[in-house]
Structures are given as structure tokens and as C-alpha cells.
Amino acid sequence: MDEGNHSASNLPLRRESGVDIENLDLLDGKERENGTTYSEPLLSKRKNTTSQIAIVGSNVCPIESLDYEIFENELFREDWRSAKKIQVFQYVVLKWAFALLIGLVTGLVGFFNNIAVENITGFKLLLTSDLMSDEKYYKAFAAYAASNVGLAAVAAALCAFIAPAAAGSGIPEVKAYLNGVDAHSILAPSTLFVKIFGSILGVSAGFVVGKEGPMVHTGACIASFLGQGGSRKYHLTWSWLRYFKNDRDRRDLITCGAAAGVAAAFRAPVGGVLFALEEAASWWRSALLWRTFFTTAVVAIVLRVFIQYCTTGNCGLFGQGGLIMYDVSAASATYSGPDILAVLFLGILGGIFGSMYNYLVEKVIRTYSIIHEKGAAAKILLVITIALLTSCLSYGLPWFAECQACPTDESVSCPTVGQSGNYKSFNCPSGYYNDLASLFLNTNDDAIRNLFSTSTTKEFHISSLFIFFAAVSFLGIITYGIAIPSGLFIPVILAGACYGRLVGRLFESISTLDTGLFALLGAASFLGGTMRMTVSLCIILLELTNDLLLLPLVMLVLLISKTVADNFNKGIYDQIVKIKGLPYLEAHAEPYMRHLVTSDVVSGPLVTFSGIEKVGCILDALRTTGHNGFPVIDEPPFSDAPELCGLVLRSHLLILLKGKNFSTDRVVCGAEILRRFAAFDFAKAGSGKGIKLEDLDIEEEEMDMYIDLHPITNASPYTVVETMSLAKAAILFRQLGLRHLCLVPKSQGRPPIVGILTRHDFMPEHILGLYPHIKAR
């Protein structure tokens, strides 16, 4: 086999970074790119550039890339030429039908999540309230804590034993998948099951987490499940489904699923589309915009139908407010100069707090990853510990609050007994309420409603707001990273709304804005400081609160908080992607890439195949490497001089070898392969269903036979000259959604291909490992 001119023998070893993965189990069992053990340095043994990625760190396993490129081989072209109008119509209809199904199922799951959390949490809080009304305070705490610990333990057990990939928000994983990263099990059916029920149990257990982030992951899992393209094992191979046996269409479906998840979580269909556009998707086009909008519209209709059903009172507070979760439109949104100053102050505060929050969350996740390495029992014990701490703070801190007299307004129920509301009696006598208990002993959604409530300036004492802000910030930081599905939106909104009300009280003498509106602006500032999103967050908040008059202020506070926070660190999802070792390609090239050309980061020797290759040579390459792409080179007598024929994938080689279309002589026999195989035979199987090397049964006498690779070779791979700047190649690689990028020599008289660039070659860890001095330039 021909070898490239870049040897790995003199490359520097990659530094160890200590990067770890919160739920490392999701990557277990994956083969490393170079087939070596994890303790061996990557670059010292690297034999080829492939689509598998080895991320720096002693415990981090490699991850494969997705095939978003159209693989134009002879089989594909034959299938394309023979496509009839009815088949094109079937494909278009099926795409919209799947978008409809994703919206329906995600809407149903969102409704189920809300009903389950309302009922489980309602029963727990009602039991605690009844015991407290009988002055059985210790029994009330025991019942409250035992309920929380029991629910938390079940959620942790689901994550630890069934689907470790379901832990956390899931948004970073979905974002990485849509960037082209195929991390193991992140969209598996088991992950979907645990994400739904683990999220319900975790939120019901009183943790300071939300179900909104997990709903994005849930929507993506639903889309992935529907887009598997059928199953030959279970004889679900309807011819229409074959159109979706590729990563491009699955990517579009998962984008629709992510948008549907946001729409179901926040009842914000337009916000869902913008979230997918701004934060989740790495590739976007107008046709996808239409489908995501259609999907989120279906979600909104499903939710509206069930909300109408719930107006009878059978669904808890799920139907209250219709599609508006936190209505603040009753308050006057007129503002003047002093109000703008207050908003500027909130934006700066949100940027500072948001960057601090991200920094602390990152440290906590890295610490928890060490605990998680000890096994499932350690994960569950950590969850139980955090559940006990949360229960103690939620039940204990309201005892330090002073009882306040109920408002004289007869339209409100004070104290609220047996239902959610702003005025919890807790330990207070009749006619008084405990403002801290109204925040702690409620669902997170109800606590946000209380903080956003308008015309209630004095409802919460300043000391109570300080205590709740400190407690919810602390609990939010230490809770994220444990082995339960947990969203970040709700903790951030709670903390932001707290200091928003505090700022409102501070500017009370000069401002005309209601403190409930200040709470909303505070939540927006904290969201902007942590998430670093602007447009989608703005629309989500407006859809949540039904106050379009506040749009200019929300836009202003988001822009300021994001600008301030960007000076300190990256957004929380970008940080988590990095912590988990997911090889995410940024939209922009790093500055140091301008000082390098593509050949500077390529390593070898390069493994190539001839257009008509020996079966034994192919098997040997497949056994000794973990590569997923091999250049195919035609040589005399099949060409005048050595020339690059194209690129062949490992998965296609395995299918071709299993078909045993061998010949004893080295002759072209592509026509026979075209008659025997169809493009559908080489379509990408669903998760974990493809042919493996162990499935092949090659006889000894067949090892010296030949096989024609031309029919399955991509004859038009993307190629760049070896002198192209690395920055330019990185932008090209990401924008085209490539898995392999072939490097060709600038001068003649050399092998027709120099090497292959993959996602790994653009990773900062790889480049700075080769050239540690270049970052300072």
C-alpha cells in the first residue's frame, strides 16, 4: 500500500489535560482511532487520519463523526438516475409526516411531564402541609425529606444502571450531534426512557433543576427513534423508510426534535425554532426552517388541546394561563431614564453573575466526574446526599423568615392551603404567611410565578430574597452534574428573578417599573450571562410572559449581560461540551490556525487501497486500524499514472466483503456488483445495527482473491491543496459538514494524496500538542 509523506514517528506527544466526562459511561466500548490502548499517546501511534476522534485526557475515549456528505459513488448515481417522480413525492411527504409525528409525540410527552410533576409534587407538599397544620413539624420534615430522597434515588438508579447518557441537561450532547459528533448512546431508546421518567422524578424530588433542558434532549431522542429508517431485524423495512437511512435526513429530524422540545417545555413555538437556529444547529437552510416551524406549531396545538381539557381542574395548574406560563402583562411597562439605568445595572450584574455561575458549575462537574468513576453506587449516594441537603435547606430556611400579615385584598387567598399560591402559612398563625416557604415549598414553576407576580412589591422581604437567592444559586450549582436528568434554565431563572426583584426594590424610589417586571429582566440578564443566547431567549421570555411592551428592555439586558460575560468565559453549554470531551467544531477558526497550513497537522503513514484490491489486504487494514475512510488509488494498467480515484468507507467495505463478490483475476467487475447490490444495501443502519468485522466469514483461499472497489468509491471527495491555510480548511470543513477532507500535493511527481484531515485534526488539543509555542503568537 502507498504511504503518505508524513510520518508520526517524530511528532511530539500530546499533553495530558485531565479532562474528564461527567457520565463517561456513554462512551464506553468505542474503539480508539489508532487501535491502541487508552494509556498510549495518541500521536506516537497514529497511522491514519480518520473520522474517529481521540480527545486529550487519560480517560476520554474517541468519538466518531457523522456522514453528512453525499457519498457519490456509482451505486448512488445509478439510484439517483433511476428515481421516479413518485419516489421524490414519497420522500417529501415522509419528511413532513415525520415532522408531524415528532410534534405530536413531543407535545404529548411535554403534557405528560407537566401532569406527572404537578401530581407527584402536589401530593408530597400536601402531605407536608397537613402534618404542619397539626403542628407535627418533625414528622412533616421526615415525610418531606423521605419523599425527596426516594424519588431522587429512583431517578439516580435509572441513570446509573440503564442510561448514563441521560444524566444532565442533554442540550450540549444534542448540540454536538448536530455539529457532526456521533457520541455513543446519546439518542438511544433507553436514553429517551430514562430522560422522561428521570426528569419527572428529579424535578418532583425538589431539586433545583428544570425539565426544560431534558425536554430538548427528549425531543431529539424521539426524532432519532422515528428517523432510524426501519429495521430489517423486525421486518419493518417499508420501502419509503429507506430514504432516511442517512445522517443528513436524521440531522434535520433531530433539529426539528430539539425545536419541538423547547416548544413543549416553554410553550414557546417561535422560541423553539429560534433556539434550534441560534444554539443547537450547526447547519441551517430555509427548507429546514419551514419544517421546524411546522413541528413547533403542532406542539403548540397539542398543548392547547390538552390545556383546554385541563380547564376542568383535573390537571393541577397545568392549564392555568393557557399557553402563557408566567403572565406579567397586567403590569404597566412604561419606563423612563432611571429605568434604563436600572436595566443597564441588571445587565452588568447578570453578566458578572453568569460568568461566575459557569465557572463554579464547571468546577463542580469536574469534581463529580471523579466520584462517578467509582461506579453506580457512588453516583446514587451522591444524589441522595444532595437530595437530603436540598430538603434540609428547603424546609429549614423558612423557619428564619418572619411571618408577614396577609394583604387586605380579598381577591387573593391568604394563606393558601392545599393548593399552590403566593402565600404559604408554614408555621405562621392565621392571617399571616411565610414568604420564604412560598418560594421553597412549591414547585419551581410556581416559585417563578410568585417572583414574577406583579403589584406585589412588598410581598417578599428583602432578607428573604437574599436568602433564597443564595440558597437557590448554591443548590443549582451543586445539583447540576449529579446522575439525574437536570435542566439549567429553571435554576438560572429563579436566581435571576430574585436579584431582579432586589434591584427593583433598590430603584423603587426612582423607577416606575413593577418589581415583577424587574424579576423578569433579572431572569433575562442571568440567562444571557450563562447561556450566551440573545434572540431565542428574548422570544422565549416574551412567549412565557405575554408582555411585548417589555421587548426593548429584554433585548437590551440580554445584549449587555452576554457582552459582559463573554469577557470572562464561554457559555455554559460550550463549557460542558468541552468538559465532556465532545469534539465540537466552532463556527470560526482559532487565530493560531492562520499560521499553519493543512499539511502541518496531517500525520501518517497513510493507508490506501488500489481500485482493485486483494481481499486479504483489505481485511488486514480493517483489523489493524480503526479508520473509517480509505483513499482509493488507481495505478497502471488501469490508469496512465497513479491517480486518486476517491474515498471508500469502512462500513461500505464490510458490506461488500460480506457479499463475497470476489474474482480470481485483477479485473474490473463493477457491472456485476451494480447488478447484485442496490444503493439501499449500503445505507447507514440505525444505532449499533451495522455489520461488524466479526460478522465476516472469509475463507483462507479467498484471501488472495480480488475485489473491485470502484462501484462503492466516492469518486468526488472534497479535496484541498496541502498549502491551504488551516483556518480556511477549518471553515470549509465545518460549513460543508465533512467527515473526511483529502489533501492533494501541490507539485507533480508525488503520490496523488498527501493525507486526510478529519475533525480530530482541527481540535485545539491536537494542534497545540504539535505546536505548543504557537498559541502565544
Side-chain angles (χ1 to χ4, degrees):
M1 297 182 187
D2 295 341
E3 294 185 358
N5 61 346
H6 292 272
S7 174
S9 58
N10 60 349
L11 293 177
L13 302 186
R14 177 176 296 183
R15 54 186 180 170
E16 298 292 330
S17 70
V19 175
D20 210 330
I21 294 178
E22 171 196 347
N23 47 341
L24 193 61
D25 311 68
L26 69 90
L27 298 177
D28 284 351
K30 301 288 278 187
E31 183 185 8
R32 189 169 186 162
E33 173 186 1
N34 52 20
T36 61
T37 59
Y38 297 143
S39 59
E40 296 174 311
L42 172 68
L43 294 177
S44 63
K45 296 240 179 182
R46 190 174 178 211
K47 294 186 178 180
N48 194 9
T49 50
T50 79
S51 64
Q52 285 182 305
I53 313 302
I55 301 303
V56 60
S58 58
N59 294 325
V60 183
C61 304
I63 303 170
E64 292 187 12
S65 292
L66 296 164
D67 290 306
Y68 289 155
E69 181 185 352
I70 295 177
F71 211 76
E72 290 187 353
N73 53 33
E74 291 181 24
L75 284 165
F76 174 82
R77 289 172 179 167
E78 184 66 28
D79 184 65
W80 206 355
R81 284 191 293 263
S82 62
K84 300 176 182 178
K85 289 185 178 180
I86 185 63
Q87 292 174 319
V88 176
F89 175 75
Q90 289 172 351
Y91 174 62
V92 173
V93 168
L94 202 57
K95 284 199 293 188
W96 287 96
F98 274 161
L100 174 65
L101 281 174
I102 292 167
L104 286 172
V105 177
T106 307
L108 289 171
V109 171
F111 170 75
F112 172 72
N113 279 4
N114 277 277
I115 295 301
V117 168
E118 288 282 352
N119 282 279
I120 295 172
T121 308
F123 175 80
K124 176 187 71 177
L125 294 176
L126 187 61
L127 175 63
T128 305
S129 177
D130 289 344
L131 289 170
M132 289 203 68
S133 62
D134 295 336
E135 298 186 357
K136 298 177 181 179
Y137 299 125
Y138 290 108
K139 286 186 177 180
F141 172 70
Y144 180 71
S147 301
N148 286 346
V149 168
L151 292 167
V154 175
L158 288 174
C159 273
F161 293 112
I162 298 178
S169 166
I171 292 178
E173 289 88 343
V174 173
K175 182 177 177 179
Y177 183 92
L178 293 176
N179 187 258
V181 178
D182 189 15
H184 184 59
S185 296
I186 61 172
L187 299 175
S190 58
T191 304
L192 172 61
F193 171 80
V194 174
K195 204 73 181 184
I196 294 172
F197 291 97
S199 176
I200 291 170
L201 294 169
V203 174
S204 301
F207 286 118
V208 183
V209 297
K211 54 185 179 295
E212 285 70 20
M215 267 307 302
V216 175
H217 196 178
T218 298
C221 287
I222 291 169
S224 176
F225 180 74
L226 292 174
Q228 288 297 308
S231 170
R232 295 178 186 176
K233 180 179 178 181
Y234 298 106
H235 305 291
L236 299 174
T237 53
W238 189 30
S239 61
W240 283 29
L241 295 177
R242 70 187 178 93
Y243 300 125
F244 289 88
K245 283 187 173 290
N246 64 81
D247 287 326
R248 294 184 309 281
D249 286 309
R250 289 175 188 166
R251 174 189 67 190
D252 291 351
L253 289 176
I254 289 166
T255 303
C256 291
V262 174
F266 293 109
R267 307 177 202 174
V270 180
V273 175
L274 293 175
F275 175 86
L277 170 60
E278 181 180 6
E279 182 66 14
S282 294
W283 296 279
W284 196 265
R285 59 186 190 279
S286 58
L288 186 57
L289 177 66
W290 276 97
R291 283 207 300 281
T292 52
F293 188 70
F294 172 70
T295 306
T296 57
V298 172
V299 172
I301 292 170
V302 170
L303 291 176
R304 193 68 189 91
V305 168
F306 281 101
I307 286 170
Q308 193 66 33
Y309 166 76
C310 288
T311 53
T312 56
N314 297 325
C315 306
L317 285 179
F318 173 74
Q320 182 171 323
L323 287 174
I324 310 300
M325 291 181 71
Y326 315 120
D327 196 343
V328 298
S329 59
S332 173
T334 56
Y335 39 87
S336 56
D339 298 316
I340 302 297
L341 289 176
V343 170
L344 293 174
F345 178 68
L346 266 179
I348 295 170
L349 207 60
I352 295 171
F353 283 168
S355 58
M356 289 174 58
Y357 191 89
N358 291 0
Y359 173 81
L360 294 172
V361 166
E362 179 187 0
K363 296 300 180 185
V364 167
I365 291 175
R366 291 183 184 276
T367 303
Y368 285 170
S369 69
I370 300 172
I371 299 174
H372 290 166
E373 288 178 356
K374 302 182 184 301
K379 294 180 181 180
I380 296 173
L381 185 61
L382 177 61
V383 171
I384 291 174
T385 303
I386 301 297
L388 273 174
L389 179 61
T390 303
S391 301
C392 291
L393 291 178
S394 299
Y395 187 85
L397 288 177
W399 290 92
F400 295 96
E402 295 182 3
C403 293
Q404 299 190 55
C406 289
T408 56
D409 186 0
E410 296 181 358
S411 63
V412 298
S413 173
C414 181
T416 51
V417 180
Q419 60 180 340
S420 298
N422 288 34
Y423 307 102
K424 294 285 186 182
S425 61
F426 197 62
N427 61 333
C428 297
S430 179
Y432 290 82
Y433 71 96
N434 187 309
D435 56 351
L436 262 182
S438 302
L439 297 174
F440 277 115
L441 297 180
N442 249 329
T443 64
N444 291 330
D445 284 346
D446 289 328
I448 294 172
R449 281 192 188 92
N450 294 347
L451 289 169
F452 282 2
S453 59
T454 56
S455 304
T456 55
T457 304
K458 306 287 187 179
E459 178 184 341
F460 300 103
H461 196 273
I462 290 179
S463 61
S464 297
L465 290 173
F466 270 112
I467 292 172
F468 187 70
F469 171 70
V472 81
S473 298
F474 171 71
L475 291 174
I477 289 168
I478 67 168
T479 302
Y480 192 83
I482 62 176
I484 62 166
S486 51
L488 281 167
F489 275 95
I490 293 301
V492 170
I493 291 175
L494 281 169
C498 262
Y499 72 70
R501 284 190 82 98
L502 285 169
V503 170
R505 296 288 293 273
L506 177 66
F507 284 85
E508 185 179 3
S509 58
I510 60 173
S511 174
T512 57
L513 280 177
D514 191 280
T515 50
L517 299 183
F518 268 108
L520 169 59
L521 293 171
S525 71
F526 206 10
L527 284 169
T530 53
M531 312 291 181
R532 311 295 163 83
M533 293 181 282
T534 52
V535 180
S536 55
L537 278 180
C538 182
I539 300 304
I540 287 171
L541 287 171
L542 292 180
E543 289 183 284
L544 277 173
T545 56
N546 192 31
D547 196 350
L548 193 60
L549 294 174
L550 214 59
L551 174 63
L553 296 185
V554 174
M555 293 172 67
L556 181 62
V557 79
L558 282 170
L559 288 169
I560 294 172
S561 61
K562 173 179 164 50
T563 303
V564 171
D566 279 341
N567 291 301
F568 297 101
N569 50 31
K570 290 188 175 182
I572 186 65
Y573 295 134
D574 292 324
Q575 286 187 310
I576 295 171
V577 164
K578 184 177 180 181
I579 292 170
K580 294 195 172 201
L582 299 171
Y584 185 87
L585 285 174
E586 299 289 348
H588 57 84
E590 297 292 340
Y592 54 78
M593 290 184 179
R594 300 172 193 155
H595 304 288
L596 299 170
V597 295
T598 52
S599 59
D600 289 333
V601 297
V602 165
S603 54
L606 190 64
V607 179
T608 65
F609 293 138
S610 297
I612 300 174
E613 187 61 83
K614 268 190 176 182
V615 173
C617 292
I618 297 174
L619 277 175
D620 181 63
L622 295 178
R623 285 179 181 141
T624 57
T625 72
H627 313 335
N628 284 289
F630 299 89
V632 177
I633 296 177
D634 272 337
E635 300 170 323
F638 301 101
S639 62
D640 295 334
E643 63 180 28
L644 178 63
C645 177
L647 195 75
V648 64
L649 295 181
R650 166 184 282 262
S651 58
H652 291 181
L653 286 171
L654 290 170
I655 295 168
L656 192 62
L657 289 173
K658 192 172 180 63
K660 293 193 173 185
N661 200 52
F662 308 144
S663 62
T664 54
D665 299 319
R666 197 181 183 197
V667 294
V668 175
C669 53
E672 185 179 342
I673 293 175
L674 289 174
R675 286 194 299 270
R676 183 170 179 180
F677 291 96
F680 174 62
D681 296 322
F682 292 88
K684 186 167 182 177
S687 302
K689 300 174 185 175
I691 296 176
K692 297 179 176 60
L693 190 60
E694 299 78 33
D695 299 330
L696 300 181
D697 184 22
I698 306 297
E699 304 293 338
E700 187 65 33
E701 59 270 16
E702 294 173 328
M703 299 291 282
D704 291 327
M705 300 179 75
Y706 294 92
I707 189 166
D708 189 356
L709 301 182
H710 292 100
I712 64 167
T713 299
N714 180 8
S716 56
Y718 285 95
T719 60
V720 297
V721 69
E722 61 180 336
T723 54
M724 176 183 281
S725 75
L726 191 61
K728 188 175 180 180
I731 299 298
L732 180 71
F733 193 93
R734 186 187 191 275
Q735 288 182 346
L736 295 176
L738 301 182
R739 187 178 187 180
H740 306 96
L741 183 60
C742 298
L743 261 62
V744 295
K746 185 177 181 181
S747 57
Q748 295 181 354
R750 298 168 59 192
I753 181 168
V754 172
I756 301 177
L757 287 178
T758 62
R759 180 177 294 265
H760 157 73
D761 297 297
F762 297 104
M763 291 296 106
E765 292 83 4
H766 169 62
I767 299 170
L768 298 177
L770 291 171
Y771 306 99
H773 61 283
I774 204 167
K775 194 170 186 179
R777 292 175 61 178

